[in-house]
Amino acid sequence: SLDNYVSLSKEQKAWLKPRVINHIAWHCNTQLPAYTEWLQRSQALVSETRPQASQFDTQFSQFRQAVDAIIVQVTPDLTELLRGLDDQQVNELRESLARQNKEQREDYLQPSLAEQIDERAERMEERLQPWFGRLHEAQKARVKAWSQQLGDYNQNWLDNNLRWQQAFLAAVQERHNEQFTAQMQRLLQQRMSFWEPAYQQQFLAAEAALGALFADLVSSA
């Protein structure tokens, strides 16, 4: 994944490899058992005749907690890796993020809002098919209604990603500052604190809308 953003030297890769092995061992020993329990709860949930949206909200919250646990685990090593980047690598990182932003904006913002809504519904149908098989017409209509409910979510999502990236790059630019460790901890572990309050509310509303969608799809399956 790092290769998508910055080219590491042989020495940096040698430094990183044993740390990644340690993280994988931690993950297998402490996180996979929790994932198994999460999947079992999900299996029981989708077996219910009329699951509630709030039950899916709980599953989403636990999913976020699992992601957050990984971020907390890797923060110290990632911070040290970033501190050791040279100026050329920082420029490469900046260019990689700019290229990613450009591609995402072309994919998700250049189409008209109506096209964004249609494409969002199509992506969701593709993601659901391995789990549900082919959706019937009423389910497709429900997915379309969900996509319309999100409206211009793409714009705010990308704008807030950009805001975070700008703060991240500013911190990396000053990576030899004594405040760098604290800055990276906040950037990585408290990402939502960099979001606009309006987007925080929109994010939570979108998650609730997804829970309602899943509840309706399971009920109609």
Side-chain angles (χ1 to χ4, degrees), residues 3 17 21 37 39 49 51 53 77 79 85 89 103 110 113 115 121-122 144 159 161 183 185 189 212 219:
D3 284 340
K17 184 173 181 178
I21 291 173
E37 295 175 1
L39 287 167
T49 305
D77 285 341
T79 299
L85 297 181
Q89 288 175 314
E103 292 171 354
Q110 279 193 1
L113 182 56
E115 290 173 323
E122 290 173 6
K144 183 63 177 292
D159 286 348
N161 272 2
Q183 289 174 326
Q185 184 173 356
Q189 299 179 14
S219 297

Side-chain angles (χ1 to χ4, degrees), residues 134-187:
R134 183 175 298 177
L135 301 183
H136 54 63
E137 290 306 313
Q139 290 171 325
K140 289 182 179 181
R142 180 63 182 86
V143 171
K144 183 63 177 292
W146 161 83
S147 184
Q148 290 171 329
Q149 183 180 357
L150 265 60
D152 64 347
Y153 187 86
N154 292 3
Q155 179 76 59
N156 295 325
W157 160 54
L158 289 174
D159 286 348
N160 276 271
N161 272 2
L162 180 60
R163 183 174 293 104
W164 181 89
Q165 288 175 8
Q166 290 170 338
F168 171 77
L169 289 170
V172 173
Q173 189 66 38
E174 302 295 330
R175 58 197 177 280
H176 302 302
N177 189 301
E178 62 181 13
Q179 301 299 321
F180 181 64
T181 298
Q183 289 174 326
M184 290 309 303
Q185 184 173 356
R186 182 176 173 227
L187 279 159

